[in-house]
Amino acid sequence: MSEIKNKAFWQEKAQRTEFPNQIIINGEFKSSVTGETFPCVSPIDGRVLTNIPACNQADVELAVTAARNAFESGCWSELPPGVRKSKLLKFADLIQKHGDELALLETLDMGKPIGDSLAVDIPATVRCIRWNAEAVDKIYDEVAPTSPKELGLVTRDPLGVVAAIVPWNFPLIMAAWKIGPALATGNSVILKPSEKSPLTALKLGELALEAGIPAGVFNVITGLGKEAGEPLATHMDIDGLVFTGSTAVGKHLLALGAQSNMKRTFVECGGKSPNIVFPDAPDLDTAAKASAVGIFFNQGEVCTAGSRLLVHNSIKKEFVEKVINAAKTMQPGDPLDPETSLGAMVDKAQMQRVLSYIETGKSGGATLSCGGVQALEKTGGFYIEPTVFDNVDNKMTIAQEEIFGPVLSVIGFDTEEEAIAIANDTDYGLAAALWTTDLARAHRVSRKLRAGSVWVNYYDAGDMTAPFGGFKQSGNGRDKSLHALEKYTELKATWMNLDY
Ligand code: NAD
């Protein structure tokens, strides 16, 4: 008989879970060179789960040497793609097999509801690794249309050693979006998770070894951005740097990558995405619920969060009421309860940052229509009620800056042109959505929106089959789809003289 996985099940499992707390370099589980650690705190209740190695330049040197040696040995980089594929499929199978354990680590570490970890994070991680594994033995190189007296081969070589620096909001998925294509194309990888969510990355390193990915090919180091991340960005023997995180750090890493060895640097950064509701939306109830989920899912800690709701003034009052009603069904709760839809903010600092944006919204003249306060304080964790600001002007701080929390800014508009202008009046360009039954308007507006993903009549759609990334200061490069593989390879032209 299958177990009933209710709140009691997860709470009990949380008490006897073992937390990974060693980095993995060259297939070995290690402490940091200095032996220093930092506490891994659960935002659910503030308890210290374990202590994590605080790596620095010395650990980076060891990881780079291991990754370089593995790459040059050809133990992975020169395997037939079909063999890499089978090992990566095994890796994906192991992630699936350990799905409950990984989901629990993710929830305890960064506060997202266990239901989301199980339904979203684990399947998306497994699918990403599988998809990339399946892709690599189906991609052909090219023969250039040259004269018959020569042969022009157009091939793709792996970059070599790739460092991946990832954030805390979807620790497993963000890691998978990088390591999936990087490993599939034959690179050696050093993964550095966020210091706020290191647990599942360490577990991934362990499972990769179990899957038969050779020692040194996939290394995991932990630590603060400045101490463990910057030495990766400045290293002269790292060929590629792939990053997901804030725009400020992304810009810094682009500069460091360029100033060091011009390593191929791709950054996926923040967003302030507009969600535009026209009066002819197919169904206002559906649109309102999707708008609420679009901002409050994952506590609003989503790069594509629909944080700016642009609503036609003729329906604004009615629509905002519907959004608030939907928000009321997403109150913060125990992340270990499968019924919970809004969990804890990742840590105290992030909670305070969001609360301070809420104060800025109030003092800036926006109308606080619901939420706006901390919740569940007695737990010792870090929770915020879903918050809606009405009558927001797009010039206000809360409409311009990425809050990365459950805070929605509602902005009214009167014409299509005005909606497009407001939507594009941002430094970011990650995603946008519009709701309309007018086919011509759907095409017209979506073409004008400066965003890497545009959704018509739903929010936050996506799949491994389509690229994901941003325009403007939301980043460069793309994750997912075959386009992502381009980032991890160099294009080579080999000319052969057949006329001698
Ligand atoms: P962050 O930029 O603070 O940190 C991201 C990673 O960079 C962490 O591992 C961190 O340790 C490291 N880091 C920080 N400073 C560094 C430095 N000086 N040198 C090297 N590494 C450094 O971002 P965060 O708070 O972890 O994540 C939230 C951000 O991520 C938001 O802006 C969100 O929009 C963005 N994000 C973007 C996407 C996307 O695909 N575009 C997806 C998820 C999250």
Side-chain angles (χ1 to χ4, degrees):
M1 215 173 81
S2 65
E3 288 169 293
I4 301 170
K5 292 180 179 168
N6 55 15
K7 181 172 159 180
F9 170 88
W10 292 109
Q11 285 177 332
E12 198 269 326
K13 201 169 163 64
Q15 289 310 317
R16 54 185 171 81
T17 286
E18 282 182 26
F19 299 104
N21 58 11
Q22 286 188 303
I23 56 170
I24 299 166
I25 296 178
N26 209 21
E28 290 169 15
F29 295 83
K30 290 171 173 287
S31 304
S32 64
V33 170
T34 62
E36 283 180 21
T37 60
F38 61 90
C40 176
V41 177
S42 175
I44 293 179
D45 52 11
R47 101 170 141 122
V48 176
L49 300 173
T50 186
N51 291 298
I52 298 291
C55 296
N56 65 18
Q57 178 89 43
D59 304 281
V60 167
E61 291 302 337
L62 294 178
V64 174
T65 302
R68 173 61 60 197
N69 288 343
F71 183 76
E72 298 300 338
S73 78
C75 67
W76 182 254
S77 54
E78 290 174 18
L79 286 179
V83 180
R84 284 203 299 270
K85 163 182 149 175
S86 62
K87 294 203 187 292
L88 286 170
L89 288 177
K90 176 128 193 259
F91 182 34
D93 289 346
L94 285 170
I95 296 170
Q96 187 159 42
K97 185 173 156 204
H98 290 262
D100 276 8
E101 182 186 350
L102 284 161
L104 184 60
L105 289 179
E106 203 81 310
T107 288
L108 290 171
D109 204 3
M110 62 70 64
K112 73 171 67 200
I114 187 76
D116 289 349
S117 296
L118 289 165
V120 178
D121 298 65
I122 303 301
T125 303
V126 172
R127 173 149 165 80
C128 176
I129 302 293
R130 277 203 187 126
W131 197 90
N132 281 290
E134 287 290 358
V136 278
D137 68 348
K138 296 167 191 71
I139 300 168
Y140 292 75
D141 287 322
E142 299 163 21
V143 176
T146 57
S147 107
K149 295 182 177 172
E150 57 199 0
L151 181 64
L153 301 175
V154 182
T155 56
R156 286 199 169 265
D157 286 3
L159 290 182
V161 175
V162 171
I165 301 180
V166 293
W168 46 261
N169 60 335
F170 292 95
L172 274 171
I173 300 177
M174 293 302 108
W177 285 6
K178 310 298 189 199
I179 64 177
L183 290 173
T185 45
N187 296 282
S188 292
V189 176
I190 303 164
L191 172 67
K192 193 205 85 64
S194 168
E195 58 276 25
K196 299 184 185 197
S197 60
L199 297 179
T200 48
L202 294 173
K203 187 71 195 174
L204 280 184
E206 185 189 317
L207 296 179
L209 284 174
E210 197 181 326
I213 295 173
V217 170
F218 179 37
N219 308 277
V220 186
I221 63 164
T222 48
L224 302 182
K226 186 93 187 143
E227 290 160 17
E230 269 197 37
L232 293 169
T234 54
H235 206 286
M236 297 301 285
D237 199 27
I238 289 180
D239 306 289
L241 174 65
V242 286
F243 166 83
T244 298
S246 62
T247 291
V249 174
K251 285 183 184 181
H252 184 53
L253 296 187
L254 282 171
L256 294 181
Q259 284 159 9
S260 50
N261 60 341
M262 210 192 265
K263 56 178 67 63
R264 305 300 180 248
T265 304
F266 296 99
V267 299
E268 310 290 338
C269 300
K272 194 75 194 175
S273 301
N275 178 21
I276 311 170
V277 184
F278 289 99
D280 61 355
D283 170 29
L284 290 185
D285 288 316
T286 305
K289 277 186 202 138
S291 301
V293 174
I295 176 65
F296 301 129
F297 171 64
N298 211 49
Q299 303 72 245
E301 296 164 333
V302 181
C303 53
T304 52
S307 52
R308 290 186 299 144
L309 178 61
L310 278 50
V311 192
H312 193 269
N313 280 323
S314 65
I315 55 162
K316 185 157 89 64
K317 188 164 178 294
E318 174 197 359
F319 193 77
V320 171
E321 269 170 29
K322 289 180 192 291
V323 173
I324 290 171
N325 286 337
K328 284 183 184 151
T329 67
M330 296 183 75
Q331 291 303 309
D334 183 350
L336 291 174
D337 184 346
E339 300 296 313
T340 294
S341 55
L342 196 77
M345 308 302 297
V346 71
D347 64 3
K348 191 172 181 185
Q350 181 66 9
M351 180 184 72
Q352 285 172 335
R353 185 171 174 271
V354 174
L355 290 172
S356 116
Y357 270 115
I358 291 172
E359 288 311 309
T360 305
K362 287 197 267 184
S363 60
T367 310
L368 181 62
S369 300
C370 81
V373 289
Q374 190 180 344
L376 305 176
E377 284 183 71
K378 284 191 186 144
T379 60
F382 315 117
Y383 302 82
I384 296 182
E385 284 191 11
T387 300
V388 177
F389 277 110
D390 199 355
N391 303 317
V392 175
D393 184 297
N394 198 52
K395 298 280 176 233
M396 289 179 186
T397 306
I398 57 167
Q400 286 293 321
E401 294 185 13
E402 186 185 40
I403 298 176
F404 224 52
V407 182
L408 179 65
S409 294
V410 182
I411 304 167
F413 70 85
D414 289 313
T415 64
E416 187 179 302
E417 294 69 31
E418 191 188 358
I420 295 165
I422 297 170
N424 287 336
D425 179 18
T426 168
D427 289 341
Y428 297 107
L430 194 55
L434 65 140
W435 299 78
T436 180
T437 41
D438 179 336
L439 189 59
R441 168 180 278 163
H443 281 284
R444 210 165 46 228
V445 176
S446 51
R447 283 176 74 152
K448 294 241 162 148
L449 290 170
R450 306 279 300 152
S453 295
V454 177
W455 301 298
V456 181
N457 294 330
Y458 54 5
Y459 202 87
D460 225 354
D463 182 55
M464 279 308 299
T465 48
F468 178 83
F471 284 24
K472 295 157 66 179
Q473 293 186 41
S474 288
N476 59 2
R478 293 294 181 268
D479 285 324
K480 300 165 90 177
S481 83
L482 294 182
H483 293 286
L485 297 174
E486 292 160 17
K487 289 197 299 197
Y488 298 92
T489 52
E490 291 283 13
L491 204 52
K492 180 188 271 180
T494 306
W495 289 91
M496 301 221 166
N497 181 2
L498 308 181
D499 189 28
Y500 60 89

